[in-house]
Amino acid sequence: MPAPTRLLFVCLGNICRSPSGENVMRHLVTDADLESEFEIDSAGTAGWHIGKSPDSRMTRAAENRGICMKGAARQVEPEDFARFDWIFAMDDSNYEDLLEVREACPNPTARLIRFCELCEEHEEKEVPDPYYGGPEGFEKVLDLLEDGCAAFLQRWEKKDLP
Ligand code: 4NP
């Protein structure tokens, strides 16, 4: 059996956007009966919330769309660049921070991209941080994640990825 495709979603705190990315993608992969083909995780560039469950506002918004939120926050580490095939940065600041983390990995093989590059139905360049805003921010996060994750999975199924 070929090695699974390993995906890591990264945001700042690992309690809103990236755990949602992880669980949206897991939901799609499970629906497509492809669980054995993927390993999916998430992490934060900051260590402030290590060990915490996803934010309750984010969890509620995801569960309203039938997406079950699981996970405990962890901080991204250099070795993630050797462990994962794809690393998805939620915004530009996450992307810049990840470039620095990658410097400390002796054998980085992961493809690092801005998540919004995957989106087909949205023009946004970043998944905006919803933490200090209202409920619409959490819905926007999910809109973008559902778009980009579905597009990634379709391309994976067609072997249409670099
Ligand atoms: P996330 O959102 O990066 O999507 O998990 C945030 C969570 C916590 C904080 C900022 C953003 N914070 O400042 O604690």
Side-chain angles (χ1 to χ4, degrees):
M1 195 139 112
T5 301
R6 289 174 292 245
L7 311 177
L8 183 67
F9 292 79
V10 177
C11 63
L12 177 60
N14 193 208
I15 54 171
C16 295
R17 293 165 291 174
S18 61
S20 302
E22 172 187 345
N23 287 294
V24 164
M25 187 63 98
R26 189 168 292 125
H27 183 86
L28 293 172
V29 160
T30 302
D31 265 4
D33 221 4
L34 291 170
E35 290 107 309
S36 61
E37 306 281 351
F38 286 92
E39 280 175 24
I40 310 169
D41 195 9
S42 65
T45 57
W48 307 321
H49 298 285
I50 290 172
K52 282 201 203 152
S53 301
D55 184 283
S56 57
R57 298 164 296 171
M58 192 75 250
T59 297
R60 211 173 310 122
E63 290 185 349
N64 282 340
R65 298 189 190 204
I67 295 147
C68 176
M69 287 281 274
K70 294 187 194 136
R74 73 168 177 93
Q75 192 166 16
V76 70
E77 53 192 25
E79 192 55 26
D80 287 324
F81 278 89
R83 225 178 263 144
F84 289 91
D85 300 304
W86 290 88
I87 299 183
F88 303 131
M90 294 293 123
D91 64 27
D92 289 345
S93 159
N94 307 148
Y95 185 85
E96 296 299 323
D97 289 341
L98 284 164
L99 290 177
E100 272 189 37
V101 175
R102 184 167 70 183
E103 291 293 310
C105 180
N107 51 340
T109 48
R111 297 179 187 90
L112 170 64
I113 64 166
R114 292 171 176 82
F115 179 81
C116 284
E117 289 175 36
L118 297 170
C119 290
E120 294 187 346
E121 292 168 8
H122 293 84
E123 298 297 321
E124 284 87 342
K125 301 287 179 224
E126 302 185 282
V127 182
D129 182 348
Y131 192 68
Y132 291 108
E136 67 288 351
F138 296 91
E139 298 302 329
K140 172 60 79 175
V141 166
L142 292 166
D143 291 344
L144 291 164
L145 289 169
E146 288 183 331
D147 179 3
C149 287
F152 180 89
L153 193 56
Q154 274 189 4
R155 289 177 63 186
W156 182 91
E157 287 182 303
K158 287 193 269 176
K159 301 197 186 330
D160 176 32
L161 288 163

